[in-house]
Amino acid sequence: MLDQHVIVPEEAETSRLVARVAEAYGGLDGRALLEPLILRVFRGRVALVSSFGAESAVLLHMVAGIDRRTPVIFLNTGKLFGETLAYRELLVERLGLADVRDERPDRSDAGRDDLNGDLWSRDPRACCWIRKVLPLQRSLNGFSAWITGRKRMHGGLRAGMPLFEMDGDQVKINPLAGWDGARIAEYMKAHDLPAHPLVKKGFTSIGCAPCTTPVAAGEDHRAGRWRGSDKSECGIHFMDGRPVRAGTGTVGTE
């Protein structure tokens, strides 16, 4: 196994780094994967990015059980459901998360490009760029790696995702990539984790309130996101089908 003296971005190109981490830990997932990464490999240099959405409690519970001081980055776009904000508070208290960071849009960006708060209706790509992509880029400065809750079962651009990816000069970790809905539900039940309030109303993927709707039986997991448009990702992970390099700071179109 590798340790933190070997796996640091300053010592190797990220592509080589990802390959080495995958070789050492690619046979693991979930908590078994996260534990060595958080406690040894990227100790003090890794953050979890969480939406506190429909499936978020699983990963948050795992991370809290390993080290509740692990930074959790929450993109508070200013357009979230009230239920999501309440759920965030519930999980923070229940799990004892000690370092949850609310990252908000920069006031100058929002004031210049979304003065009336209706950019989502005119240009949802630009809205996500201001309210999600740029705040995340700023919040990840100084970290060597970050953890996501994405899963292959979500389909679309996520269907073939690996456990580890390059993201600029950082390593992106997808510890639940291979988990399906049954495994998520089993974990939630086993650990008595509360469900997001909107799940019982048919929301399977929960983002900003103006751009998220319930999903009908038989629809894709993310069918309720940006319904009626060709947009399927906010831009944090993909833009025009290409992975976003979080550290580039280069504005583009999704």
Side-chain angles (χ1 to χ4, degrees), residues 155-174:
L157 297 171
R158 305 182 179 206
M161 81 173 71
L163 284 175
F164 304 99
E165 300 176 87
M166 295 171 55
D167 194 338
D169 59 356
Q170 296 166 323
V171 177
K172 185 157 60 177
I173 306 160
N174 306 308

Side-chain angles (χ1 to χ4, degrees), residues 47-51 71-75 101 103 136 139-140 143:
L48 166 63
V49 177
S50 178
S51 66
V72 176
I73 296 171
F74 173 61
L75 299 176
R101 307 177 182 186
E103 299 294 341
L136 182 61
S139 66
L140 287 175
F143 289 103

Side-chain angles (χ1 to χ4, degrees), residues 148-159:
T148 90
R150 296 181 303 153
K151 305 165 192 70
R152 296 176 191 130
M153 71 169 185
H154 293 162
L157 297 171
R158 305 182 179 206

Side-chain angles (χ1 to χ4, degrees), residues 21-29 33 163-164:
V21 176
E23 181 180 3
Y25 302 103
L28 305 175
D29 70 359
L33 173 64
L163 284 175
F164 304 99

Side-chain angles (χ1 to χ4, degrees), residues 25 27 34 37 53-54 74 89 92 95 112 163 184 241 247-248 251 254:
Y25 302 103
L34 288 170
L37 299 180
F74 173 61
E89 295 303 316
V92 169
L95 301 177
R112 180 183 64 249
L163 284 175
I184 293 292
T248 60
V251 177
E254 200 174 35

Side-chain angles (χ1 to χ4, degrees), residues 6-245:
V6 178
I7 303 290
V8 288
E10 292 88 338
E11 297 173 1
E13 294 182 358
T14 308
S15 58
R16 184 181 173 198
L17 178 61
V18 168
R20 295 175 70 188
V21 176
E23 181 180 3
Y25 302 103
L28 305 175
D29 70 359
R31 176 163 178 162
L33 173 64
L34 288 170
E35 194 156 351
L37 299 180
I38 291 174
L39 296 181
R40 297 195 302 276
V41 179
F42 297 111
R43 185 173 181 84
R45 309 175 77 171
V46 60
L48 166 63
V49 177
S50 178
S51 66
F52 285 82
E55 300 163 350
S56 297
V58 171
L59 202 49
L60 289 162
H61 180 268
M62 290 178 181
V63 170
I66 296 167
D67 185 351
R68 65 186 185 88
R69 299 166 298 177
T70 303
V72 176
I73 296 171
F74 173 61
L75 299 176
N76 191 337
T77 64
K79 298 293 182 181
L80 299 176
F81 289 97
E83 290 91 338
T84 295
L85 299 177
Y87 189 54
R88 173 202 177 282
E89 295 303 316
L90 173 64
L91 289 180
V92 169
E93 182 177 358
R94 175 80 64 90
L95 301 177
L97 297 165
D99 188 7
V100 178
R101 307 177 182 186
D102 278 27
E103 299 294 341
R104 299 173 182 268
D106 185 270
R107 288 185 178 182
S108 61
D109 292 334
R112 180 183 64 249
D113 299 319
D114 194 12
L115 183 61
N116 297 320
D118 61 352
L119 184 60
W120 63 270
S121 65
R122 297 180 284 106
D123 190 343
R125 289 172 171 80
C127 186
C128 285
W129 182 263
I130 291 171
R131 296 182 179 278
K132 285 191 170 185
V133 179
L134 291 179
L136 182 61
Q137 288 180 357
R138 290 189 288 265
S139 66
L140 287 175
N141 284 336
F143 289 103
S144 300
W146 54 295
I147 302 162
T148 90
R150 296 181 303 153
K151 305 165 192 70
R152 296 176 191 130
M153 71 169 185
H154 293 162
L157 297 171
R158 305 182 179 206
M161 81 173 71
L163 284 175
F164 304 99
E165 300 176 87
M166 295 171 55
D167 194 338
D169 59 356
Q170 296 166 323
V171 177
K172 185 157 60 177
I173 306 160
N174 306 308
L176 305 184
W179 285 43
D180 59 17
R183 196 171 177 190
I184 293 292
E186 180 182 352
Y187 189 98
M188 295 276 291
K189 182 178 179 180
H191 297 281
D192 193 27
L193 296 175
H196 191 295
L198 291 177
V199 168
K200 64 183 179 182
K201 297 182 179 181
F203 290 81
T204 55
S205 179
I206 303 168
C208 292
C211 301
T212 308
T213 60
V215 172
E219 286 191 306
D220 291 340
H221 183 88
R222 291 173 59 82
R225 304 293 294 275
W226 305 285
R227 189 180 290 279
S229 75
D230 61 355
K231 180 175 169 59
S232 63
E233 293 281 349
C234 67
I236 288 174
H237 303 289
F238 297 98
M239 303 190 80
D240 287 332
R242 299 185 300 273
V244 174
R245 299 169 73 89

